[in-house]
Amino acid sequence: MTTAPPSTAMLAVEDLTLAVRRDEDVKPILASVSLSCAKGEIVGLVGESGSGKSMTLRTAVGLTPAKADISGRVQVSGLDVLGASGKELSKLRSRTASMIFQDPRAHINPFQRIGTFLCEGLRIHQRMSKEEAARKATGLLDEVGLPDPARHMRQYPHELSGGMLQRVMIAAALASEPELLLADEPTTALDVTTQAEIVSILLRLRRDRGLSIVLVTHDLDLAVSACDRIHVMYAGSIVEVASAAELARAPQHPYTAALFAARPSPDRTELKAVSGRPLGLYEVEGGCAFAPRCPKAIDLCQETAPETRLVDGHQVACHLASEPPVQPVGPLTKGERP
Amino acid sequence: MAVMTESALVRRRGLGRRFGGNKAMTLSIGVLTLFVLVALFAPWLAPHDPNAVSLANSLQGTSADHLLGTDQSGRDVLSRLIYGARSSLLGPLGVVVGATLLGVTIGVVAAWRGGWVDTALSRAIELIFAFPGVLLAILLVSVLSAGLKATVLALAIAYTPYMARMTRSAALSERHRPYIRALEIQGFPAVSIIVRHLLPNIAPLVLAQASLCFGYAMIDLAGLSFLGFGVQPPQADWGAMISEGQVALLQGAPLSALAPGVLIVCAVVGFSLIGEGVADRIRRADR
Amino acid sequence: MTAQHPVTRVEKLRRTYDHGKVVAVNDISFEVPVGGSLGIVGESGSGKTTTAKLIVGLEEPDSGRIFFDGQEIGTGSSRKLRRQRARTVQLVFQDPYQSLDPRQTVGGAIDEVLRLHTELSTSAFAKRRAELLEQVGLGVREAAALPRELSGGQRQRVAIARALAANPRLLVLDEAVAALDVSIQAQILNLLSEIRRETGVALVFVSHDLEVVRWVADDVVVMFRGSIIESGPTAEVLQRPEHPYTRLLLSSVPRLGWDPAQVSQARREFLATQ
C-alpha cells in the first residue's frame, strides 16, 4: 500500500484480501491488510471481535480456511506463504514460525506428561535422541522461568496453573528455534499478575534471542506497554499503524481514540462509550467501516472508504486524519462517574 | 404424472435443505411418510380382504389379481402387507412413546435431584440394562399372555434404560448451565424450570434417540411376532408374515416371506437415518 | 434513633470444599450501604466468585451470616426462600449468552420473571416491561429476538433487565463485562451507573479488573486466597494501597512505560512471603 515493508521484514503481509466461501455465499473477512514485523521487533495487532486479527495471524502461517478467495502477498522470512507447497508450509510451521494461543489447556493433550509433549516435536522435527531431547526440553522450561523444570517434565497438564501451562506452550514454541513467534491473545485467559509474567518472558526472548513477535490482543493498553509498533484493526482492515508511544500520545484514527477513551483509567474522568457494536467486514455496506459508530463522521465517510495516508508518522485510514490530532469527543451516552 | 413427480422432488429438496441437505434423510422421510399413509388408508388401498382364506388359491405366484401372489392359506400377500403396516408401525410407536415418557421422567428426575435419588435410579436402570430386551419381553409375555399389547408394554420397559440414560446425561449438562442457574436464583419452581426450559432444550436429542429406538423396536417386535409372542393370527403383521411364510419359502414361493422382510428393512433403515440425521444436525448446531 | 440498615451485611462468611481441605472463602465480613456499590477484586482462586454465589444463595456457607436490610435470610433452597431472596438480590453472570435460555425470546424471559415476582394488571405489566427494556436501552425489535440474534452487549443488557424485573435491592455482577469487547464494556459500565442513580439499586461488582472496579465502586475489598486482605473507599485503597498484594495488583495493570519484569519479580517476592 503506502510504504513497502523493510527488507529485513521477518513477516510481511501486503494487501491481503480474504473471503470465505460457504455454499453460494461469499463472506469477506479481510480487506487489503498490510502488516510487517521486522527482525527482533514486537508488533501488536489490536482489534475487537470480528476485526479479523486472528485470521490475519493464521494466514501468516498458511492456516487459511479450506474454501477461501485470497489475494495479496504473505512472506515469512522470505518464503511466499500463499504460493508455498504443503511441504514448505509444514517446514515453515515446524522451523521458522511458532504460534501460541489464548487457551493453553485446549492445545495440549491432557493425558500426556509435559516432558513427553515437549520432546515429541524435538525428536520428530530435529531427530534428537531421547536424552538430547529431554535435556533440551528441561533447558527450555528453565528459559521460560518455570521454577523446577525437572519436576515439571514429569507432571501432567492439570497439575499446572494456567500461567505455568502458557509458559510450557511458549517453551514448546521455542523448541524449534523459530525466528518468528505468533501470539494469539496469549494472556487474555490469565490473571493480571500472571499476564505481567508472560509479557516479561516475551520481552526477554526478544532481547536474548532476537525473536520477532506478533502479539494479537484486544487490549490496547497491553499492546501499548509491550509492543514497539501497533496495528489497529477494525472490520477486516488496518485503520492505523504507529509506534506504541506515538499511538498512545496522539491517536489519529477516531476508532483508536475511542478504544483508549472507552477503557477506565485513573487519568480519565469519564468513560466514553462507542455506540453500536464492532462489525465484521461482511456487515459493512460501503464507505468507511467505522462511520456508523464514528462521532466525527461526515457525508464523505458514508460514501467512500478512506485511503491510507501518512500523518505525523502514523499510517491512518481516515478521511479526517489530515486535521489536527483527534481530540477525544464528547460522550455519546450520559455516562458519568457515580 | 410427470408433473407430480417433479413437484414432489422439489418439495423433497426443500425438506432436505432444512435438514442439512442430507439426501439419505430426505429419502427416509419420504419412504416412511408413504408407509404411514398406506397404514392409514389400508381399507381403501387393499385390493382384497387380508383375512379372506381361500385354500384353493394357496401359494399362487404373482398375477394380475394377486400382484404379490398369495400365502399358504390363499390370502392376498399385498393386502396383508398393507394392513400389516398398521400393527408394524403402531407397535414400535407404542414402544417408543412408552419408553420415552418413562425414560425422560426417570432421566430428568435423576439429573435434577442428584445425590441418592440419582444413584438409586441409575442403579435400577443399569439392572434393566443388564437384561436382554427380548428376553425380558418373553418373560413378561409369559406372565401377561401373548399379544401386541403385552409385547409393546414389555419392550417399552426394556427400552426405557436407553432413553433414561441419554436423557440423564443431557439433562445433567443442561442443569449446570448458567441459564438454568439464573432461573433458580429467580426462585422459579423446579417443575416449571424443567418443563418450560430444560425439556425444550434437550428435546431434539431425545427425539433423535427416540427415532433410533423406533427402528430397533420394529426389529424386536417383528422378531417376537416371528416367535409367536406378538401379534396373533390371523391378524396381519409383517413379523408374523415372515414367520408364516417360512414353509412357503421352502416350497419355492418366497414372496410371502420376503416382501414383509424388505419392508421391515426399509422402515428400520429409514428411522435410523432420520435419527442419525437429527443427531448430526444437533451436533452441528452446537458447534 | 433508627439507623438505616445496610442493604447487605456479611458476617464471618466461610465456605470450604473437599471436607474442609480447600478453604474458598475464609471468614470474610463486609457490608454494602443502601444504594452503595462495592467492588470485590481478586485473581482466580481468590474466592471472589464463591462470595458472589454465597450472597445470591447459589452456594451455602459453612458458617457465617448474611443479612439483607438487617434481616437474616435463612439458607436453604426451598422455593419460598429462593423467591424471597430473588426479590432482594439478583445476579448477573459473566457470559450473557450462557445465562439466557437459547429458545426464549428477550420479551419472554422478562415477562416470565415479572409474572413470578409481581402481580401487575395487564396494562401495568406492559408498561413495566417497556420501562425495563428502555432502562437498558433495548427496543421492541430486540424484545422479539432470540439471544443468538443479539450481540454480546445486547445480551448483557437483557440479563440486566431480567435481573431488575424482580425489583431487587442489590445487584451482584460477576465479571459482568469481562467477556465483552472494550467499546461495549464502557456502554455497560455507564449503563450500570445510570441504573444505580435512577433506581437506587446497590451494586456488588466482582471483577479481576482493577480499573473497572475503580470506575464503578465506592468501596472495595481486595481478596487473596479466600481472605480479605485490604478494604476501604476505592479511591483511598487504590491511591494508597497498604497491603503488598494490592500494590502488586496495581502495578500489574499494563500502561505505557510499564515494566513487566519488575512486576513479575515483585510477584515472586510476594508469593515467597506467603
Side-chain angles (χ1 to χ4, degrees), chain A residues 204-225:
Chain A
R204 188 156 45 77
L205 289 173
R206 183 265 292 269
R207 200 186 57 219
D208 296 353
R209 291 176 168 242
L211 200 60
S212 310
I213 300 174
V214 179
L215 176 68
V216 165
T217 176
H218 67 280
D219 186 342
L220 193 51
D221 291 329
L222 174 68
V224 162
S225 46

Side-chain angles (χ1 to χ4, degrees), chain A residues 48-49 191 193 195-197 200 203 224-225 262-266 268 270-271 274 276-278 293 333 335 337, chain C residues 43-44 151 181-187 190 196 209 211 214-215 252 254-256 258 260-261 263-264 267-268:
Chain A
E48 295 181 286
S49 54
D191 283 324
T193 59
Q195 165 170 289
E197 187 95 38
S200 79
L203 292 178
V224 162
S225 46
R263 263 298 289 174
S265 125
R268 273 162 217 146
E270 57 184 335
L271 262 200
V274 196
R277 65 180 172 87
R293 304 177 72 191
T333 62
R337 259 193 107 157
Chain C
E43 295 189 291
S44 53
S151 68
D181 276 315
V182 177
S183 66
I184 305 299
Q185 282 186 12
Q187 290 176 8
N190 284 338
R196 183 180 154 211
D209 191 329
E211 295 307 326
R214 187 202 297 274
W215 199 258
S252 297
R255 70 189 86 77
L256 198 61
W258 174 66
V263 176
S264 47
R267 175 172 182 264
R268 241 165 285 146

